[in-house]
């Protein structure tokens, strides 16, 4: 084994194929995608994403700075987030980013003040909370009234009033993001229908809405990653095209994260011990919730494969766990695998999004550098 485990392995060829597919589908509709850096901000992956013509969707000042360092054009950078600090807003203003997605009335006031102080006009989009259930895990649902995100319909009159009094804000559009890992396309249909009426409401009030930003959210297949390496972007964008009713002058933007990078990464780990319990067996890995938090935080299940025993019959069930002193440090219960033993290499799939970026050094653990699977020449 060349590399010390655990480490993240990224498939460069799959990322490029995914980006090409996104581009070929968006070009059919004239849509525009800003990649959500929060899903994975690895430099090499960002460079590849940038070179395929994507913009950047950021949720912190440091993400804005990272995007600029990588070479994303500031005119293709959007900045969302429910709690932007003054310093972060100033970072966006001083780089003349494309747009701030503003999430509350108090935030609109502060962006106006800070822009005036810099003698600038901040371009903003109003992030709307349309009260639509994304039918996904409650921790990654963002478009319900009970969630902290966005501005609700009962505040719209105040927004229009505030915009008319703000000399340093230029509203360019509306922003929506109702949740992540959405696999039911009816949710996106509901979103599109809601967008139509909210858009019309703002246009009737005389607000300039030249951009409709629909956020991200398209889910990936965690159960059968190898059969679904590239998400169904065709169906996703066609769902919006079929149900959005916008004016020809209005541009449509998206902020996809997981669907772009999710299937391109695996967490590679090694079996430390095969421990026999009374009624079950455990496989104890050298990777844990410190490297991949999603199972502990969202009860998510990633497909687990014993790479060393590839192709062998699945004859035993294991609780696949990490070494951390927390009972939630478990990647899967009753996982069917070939007979597995100390030293075997285990791949935890679909770990390209919200995985390495959410790792921590709890227990003073340290993740090894990631490895890239290079594109094979065809
Ligand atoms: N735009 C905004 C404003 C967002 O908040 C997010 C993600 C995205 C775009 C990208 O969404 P995507 O296309 O990746 O679904 N850590 C969680 C996911 C949190 C997503 C938060 N927002 C997980 O591991 O499932």
């Amino acid at each position: 084994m060349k590399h010390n485990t655990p480490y993240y392995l990224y498939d460069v060829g799959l990322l490029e194929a995914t980006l090409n597919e996104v581009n070929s589908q968006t070009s059919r509709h004239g849509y525009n995608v800003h990649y959500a850096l929060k899903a994975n901000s690895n430099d090499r992956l960002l460079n590849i994403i940038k070179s395929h013509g994507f913009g950047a969707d950021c949720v912190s000042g440091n993400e804005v700075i990272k995007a600029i360092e990588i070479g994303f054009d500031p005119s293709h950078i959007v900045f969302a987030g429910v709690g932007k600090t003054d310093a972060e807003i100033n970072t966006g203003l001083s780089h003349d980013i494309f747009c701030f997605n503003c999430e509350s009335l108090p935030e609109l006031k502060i962006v106006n003040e800070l822009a005036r102080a810099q003698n600038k006009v901040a371009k903003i989009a109003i992030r709307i909370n349309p009260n639509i259930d994304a039918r996904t895990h409650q921790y990654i649902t963002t478009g319900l009234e009970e969630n902290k995100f966005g501005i609700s319909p009962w505040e719209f009159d105040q927004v229009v009033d505030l915009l008319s009094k703000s000399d340093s804000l230029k509203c360019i559009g509306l922003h929506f993001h109702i949740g992540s890992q959405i696999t039911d396309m009816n949710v996106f249909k509901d979103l599109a229908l809601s967008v139509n009426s909210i858009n019309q409401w703002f246009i009737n009030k005389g607000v300039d809405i030249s951009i409709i930003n629909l956020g991200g959210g398209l889910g990936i297949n965690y159960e059968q990653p190898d059969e679904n390496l590239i998400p169904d972007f065709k169906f996703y964008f066609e769902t919006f095209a079929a149900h959005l009713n916008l004016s020809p002058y209005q541009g449509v933007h998206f902020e996809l994260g997981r669907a772009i990078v999710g299937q391109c990464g695996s967490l590679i780990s090694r079996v430390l011990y095969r421990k026999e319990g009374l009624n079950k067996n455990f496989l104890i890995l050298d990777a844990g919730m410190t490297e991949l938090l999603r199972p502990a935080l969202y009860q998510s299940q990633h497909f687990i494969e014993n790479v060393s025993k590839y192709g062998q019959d699945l004859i035993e069930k294991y609780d696949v766990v990490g070494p951390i002193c927390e009972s939630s440090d478990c990647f899967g219960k009753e996982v069917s695998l070939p007979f597995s033993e100390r030293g075997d290499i285990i791949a935890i799939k679909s770990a390209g999004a919200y995985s390495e970026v959410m790792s921590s050094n709890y227990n003073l653990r340290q993740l090894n550098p990631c490895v890239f699977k290079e594109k094979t020449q065809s």
Side-chain angles (χ1 to χ4, degrees):
M1 189 69 199
K2 285 192 304 227
H3 307 282
N4 288 333
T5 52
Y7 63 88
Y8 276 94
L9 176 68
Y10 294 118
D11 185 337
V12 169
L14 177 57
L15 176 61
E16 291 185 342
T18 306
L19 294 167
N20 290 337
E21 173 62 8
V22 176
N23 278 336
S24 96
Q25 295 307 327
T26 50
S27 64
R28 294 175 54 216
H29 307 287
Y31 294 163
N32 197 303
V33 177
H34 293 84
Y35 165 69
L37 258 78
K38 58 156 57 155
N40 192 318
S41 46
N42 176 283
D43 283 11
R44 170 114 189 253
L45 302 188
L46 288 180
N47 269 300
I48 296 171
I49 293 167
K50 184 201 66 182
S51 72
H52 282 70
F54 288 69
D57 164 44
C58 303
V59 287
S60 71
N62 284 347
E63 282 192 359
V64 172
I65 291 166
K66 165 68 83 175
I68 289 168
E69 277 169 8
I70 293 290
F72 285 93
D73 189 327
S75 68
H76 297 293
I77 295 179
V78 295
F79 183 9
V82 70
K84 303 176 190 79
T85 64
D86 293 16
E88 290 178 314
I89 294 168
N90 280 329
T91 298
L93 285 169
S94 56
H95 287 98
D96 294 320
I97 61 167
F98 177 63
C99 181
F100 292 86
N101 295 328
C102 291
E103 307 229 8
S104 65
L105 288 156
E107 183 193 338
L108 282 168
K109 287 183 191 155
I110 295 299
V111 174
N112 185 50
E113 278 172 26
L114 295 173
R116 190 189 305 124
Q118 282 202 29
N119 235 338
K120 296 202 165 173
V121 173
K123 283 185 283 174
I124 61 112
I126 305 156
R127 176 163 181 184
I128 308 284
N129 184 327
N131 197 25
I132 293 175
D133 187 355
R135 285 168 244 160
T136 180
H137 191 279
Q138 56 161 332
Y139 288 1
I140 49 177
T141 296
T142 52
L144 286 175
E145 225 164 55
E146 68 199 54
N147 302 130
K148 65 183 173 182
F149 302 95
I151 294 178
S152 294
W154 54 270
E155 300 169 290
F156 288 176
D157 280 318
Q158 293 175 73
V159 170
V160 174
D161 187 46
L162 185 68
L163 288 175
S164 70
K165 293 179 186 144
S166 306
D167 50 4
S168 305
L169 294 183
K170 178 173 166 41
C171 179
I172 61 164
L174 301 177
H175 173 233
F176 300 80
H177 173 77
I178 59 170
S180 196
Q181 184 53 19
I182 297 169
T183 49
D184 178 353
M185 290 298 136
N186 288 314
V187 170
F188 293 120
K189 176 183 167 190
D190 292 349
L191 173 61
L193 298 178
S194 171
V195 167
N196 292 340
S197 61
I198 295 171
N199 178 41
Q200 199 52 55
W201 190 92
F202 278 96
I203 291 174
N204 291 346
K205 292 281 175 181
V207 181
D208 180 18
I209 305 296
S210 42
I211 302 290
I212 295 289
N213 180 341
L214 296 152
L218 176 63
I220 61 172
N221 190 325
Y222 284 95
E223 291 84 35
Q224 294 176 306
D226 291 340
E227 289 78 40
N228 298 276
L229 286 174
I230 299 185
D232 194 348
F233 293 108
K234 182 170 188 287
F235 192 25
Y236 173 69
F237 291 117
E238 278 176 356
T239 301
F240 284 104
H243 298 289
L244 280 176
N245 184 13
L246 305 177
S247 299
Y249 70 87
Q250 295 187 295
V252 179
H253 291 189
F254 292 86
E255 302 168 339
L256 291 169
R258 187 191 317 262
I260 291 177
V261 289
Q263 299 292 35
C264 304
S266 299
L267 175 60
I268 306 297
S269 168
R270 192 190 297 267
V271 176
L272 291 174
Y273 304 104
R274 175 181 177 283
K275 178 179 172 182
E276 295 187 5
L278 217 44
N279 299 311
K280 57 168 73 179
N281 294 326
F282 294 95
L283 273 194
I284 303 172
L285 307 185
D286 63 3
M289 64 193 287
T290 39
E291 287 70 45
L292 179 61
L293 183 61
R294 302 193 68 260
L297 195 58
Y298 314 113
Q299 300 76 47
S300 64
Q301 298 196 354
H302 291 244
F303 189 80
I304 299 173
E305 198 169 68
N306 185 330
V307 178
S308 305
K309 304 284 164 62
Y310 189 74
Q312 294 187 16
D313 291 340
L314 311 180
I315 55 162
E316 274 208 310
K317 287 192 173 167
Y318 301 98
D319 280 11
V320 180
V321 301
I324 312 295
C325 182
E326 304 267 353
S327 292
S328 59
D329 184 30
C330 175
F331 292 118
K333 289 194 183 294
E334 307 253 305
V335 181
S336 296
L337 288 171
F339 178 82
S340 303
E341 55 198 328
R342 179 174 168 82
D344 283 358
I345 295 298
I346 302 290
I348 303 178
K349 312 294 279 273
S350 310
Y354 306 110
S355 298
E356 188 171 5
V357 281
M358 289 175 70
S359 63
S360 76
N361 64 357
Y362 181 41
N363 291 190
L364 292 185
R365 284 168 62 81
Q366 198 145 22
L367 186 58
N368 292 300
C370 69
V371 175
F372 296 97
K373 179 178 171 200
E374 299 300 335
K375 203 167 139 181
T376 43
Q377 300 300 324
S378 52

